[in-house]
Amino acid sequence: MVGENRALVTGITGQDGQHLCELLNAKGYEVFGLIRGQRNARREAFEAEFPFVHLVEADLTDPTSLLAAVRASEADEVYNLGAISHVGYSFRNPQLTADVTAKGVLNLLEAIRSSGRADQVRFYQASTSEMFGGLDYNRPGNGYTEDSLFHPRSPYGVAKLYAHWIARNYRESYGMFVATGILFNHEGERRGLEFVTRKISNSVARIHLGKQQHIVMGTLDPKRDWGYAGDYVEGMWRMLQQDKPGDWVLATGETHSVAEFIELAFKEVGIDNWQQYIKYDERFMRPSEVDLLLGNPERAEKELGWKREVDFPGLVKLMVQHDLGMESASQN
Ligand code: NAP
Ligand code: G4F
């Protein structure tokens, strides 16, 4: 083996998994990635782009496969990024969300214990700002911290809260090195098209190129603390390099509405009258909404020496420019 450290990443085919495997590879890690399904549609493209990753077949809902993955990788660091991660989808698939996003974490922690490697493994759990819920009564003026009250507003948020607490419980009960990263929204060129920022950047590029007429949206009012995914995986890695495990918020400390994102994205292609390109469809509304998320990254900045590099205008620009390039090169 080339690298000294060995990492196992679940959710490696997702946005954060791709950024993280790149970062770990650059740091000399031997990287193992968990891939699910007998014929995963993302496998071929993933293998072409990240040939250095050893793919291990397993599923967060299948304890036997997880034990085999932990044994095969002999990982020192396990990053649990795998999840049903789309909030809207979680309302329509609440039980699946609970099985993967909540119980999957328990399955993975138990696999690590059963493997006999609990003392050697440092574990990262991908917790989320969705656990806070964005309601007025629990929202501190200077942003949510690690100690703020939770009030999840979706099956996804509730599943993630279970995951957060079971991870903390394994730290307290068994002395495992378990870190949780409470991450606010982070986006970029690898974001799935089902999430609002990428849907917007891709649609704006297509409209500019004459491939699409409108963007069909839900509510434009919610505000999010949006950062760049490449910055956030650095924070995940730093959490596992600490002397002691803990819980850290990663955020930018700024919040912007969906409408602001749209406005800036259209500006990037020289369009000011963006409203005429937006259509509304109830399909994209959620039974309960998270109106405003704003994080306070003070602890991470102080203890991890972490700070985001890409600001909000930089993020919008990066995504629109990427999608202009991608859409110009494709026929569809
Ligand atoms: P993502 O792009 O949606 O990726 C999710 C990953 O989970 C995919 O690789 C998917 O694999 C995998 N997965 C789904 N079901 C699985 C199962 N049953 N077994 C194993 N793997 C499974 O998510 P992301 O944006 O990279 O986020 C990474 C993690 O951070 C997630 O846990 C998310 O909830 C959390 N998080 C994200 C944000 C954010 O703003 N991005 C903020 C806070 C927390 P397939 O390719 O097979 O579908
Ligand atoms: O992009 P979104 O789907 O992200 P959301 O719900 O904030 O969740 C993301 O961030 C969480 C961290 O806070 C992660 F834990 C989670 O895994 C995920 O990565 O929606 C953002 C906002 C929402 O208020 C939504 O209602 O955009 C609004 N929106 C309006 N129209 C839309 C649309 N969202 C989507 N996906 N598609 C629309 O057409």
Side-chain angles (χ1 to χ4, degrees):
M1 290 289 171
V2 182
E4 275 184 33
N5 293 322
R6 299 163 71 89
L8 173 65
V9 181
T10 75
I12 199 138
T13 54
Q15 169 188 252
D16 291 3
Q18 295 176 46
H19 282 285
L20 182 64
C21 76
E22 228 165 43
L23 177 118
L24 294 171
N25 184 52
K27 290 186 185 298
Y29 279 70
E30 203 67 36
V31 185
F32 293 77
L34 196 140
I35 187 138
R36 72 175 169 131
Q38 65 183 39
R39 192 156 177 267
N40 190 309
R42 289 160 139 178
R43 185 175 189 137
E44 203 176 305
F46 183 90
E47 284 178 323
E49 192 171 352
F50 308 101
F52 52 84
V53 173
H54 307 278
L55 290 176
V56 189
E57 286 174 7
D59 193 297
L60 282 166
T61 60
D62 185 323
T64 307
S65 70
L66 292 175
L67 179 56
V70 170
R71 284 195 173 133
S73 65
E74 295 179 1
D76 321 295
E77 295 178 12
V78 175
Y79 295 85
N80 184 37
L81 310 184
I84 298 295
S85 79
H86 193 271
V87 173
Y89 182 86
S90 81
F91 282 103
R92 300 183 297 275
N93 300 267
Q95 280 136 338
L96 176 66
T97 304
D99 285 344
V100 178
T101 305
K103 203 168 160 226
V105 185
L106 177 63
N107 292 340
L108 185 54
L109 287 163
E110 273 301 305
I112 293 169
R113 287 208 328 130
S114 305
S115 74
R117 307 193 72 255
D119 294 346
Q120 296 143 60
V121 170
R122 290 175 172 229
F123 185 89
Y124 172 84
Q125 171 56 22
S127 292
T128 167
S129 48
E130 269 290 310
M131 300 186 308
F132 296 124
L135 295 169
D136 283 346
Y137 84 92
N138 73 340
R139 195 168 57 223
N142 54 352
Y144 290 107
T145 71
E146 296 76 4
D147 304 316
S148 298
L149 272 179
F150 296 121
H151 185 143
R153 302 261 294 156
S154 63
Y156 167 76
V158 174
K160 277 288 183 183
L161 193 51
Y162 172 85
H164 182 71
W165 280 109
I166 200 70
R168 290 185 63 161
N169 179 258
Y170 272 52
R171 177 165 82 209
E172 292 170 14
S173 305
Y174 305 116
M176 287 173 68
F177 190 112
V178 173
T180 70
I182 307 174
L183 271 51
F184 283 67
N185 297 52
H186 44 281
E187 319 290 318
E189 71 281 17
R190 288 170 169 153
R191 191 55 145 153
L193 288 162
E194 68 274 31
F195 297 96
V196 80
T197 56
R198 186 77 196 288
K199 177 172 171 176
I200 296 165
S201 65
N202 186 261
S203 300
V204 165
R206 291 177 63 83
I207 288 169
H208 178 69
L209 295 167
K211 293 175 155 190
Q212 186 176 319
Q213 306 299 317
H214 297 104
I215 318 181
V216 184
M217 301 283 306
T219 167
L220 310 187
D221 295 333
K223 293 185 159 185
R224 291 289 183 273
D225 182 326
W226 274 306
Y228 177 55
D231 290 342
Y232 285 54
V233 296
E234 169 74 27
M236 294 176 189
W237 175 78
R238 286 185 185 218
M239 288 177 206
L240 294 198
Q241 313 313 310
Q242 300 304 299
D243 292 338
K244 285 200 301 202
D247 312 296
W248 289 277
V249 160
L250 299 185
T252 69
E254 274 180 42
T255 189
H256 298 275
S257 66
V258 174
E260 282 176 80
F261 195 104
I262 298 177
E263 185 181 0
L264 266 193
F266 273 106
K267 273 219 170 83
E268 194 58 31
V269 295
I271 295 175
D272 287 328
N273 57 344
W274 57 271
Q275 287 89 346
Q276 72 180 63
Y277 295 97
I278 307 300
K279 287 194 171 173
Y280 168 77
D281 192 326
E282 202 173 340
R283 209 157 39 100
F284 295 109
M285 298 297 283
R286 295 165 184 181
S288 59
E289 182 56 81
V290 171
D291 293 329
L292 196 161
L293 289 177
L294 171 67
N296 181 338
E298 213 175 287
R299 186 188 290 178
E301 289 179 1
K302 217 179 271 170
E303 296 180 2
L304 308 177
W306 177 86
K307 195 159 177 53
R308 62 115 163 109
E309 301 280 331
V310 179
D311 64 7
F312 182 66
L315 175 68
V316 179
K317 188 184 185 69
L318 171 159
M319 292 180 71
V320 174
Q321 288 302 333
H322 171 273
D323 283 337
L324 281 170
M326 191 184 89
E327 289 295 338
S328 307
S330 102
Q331 301 296 322
N332 306 321

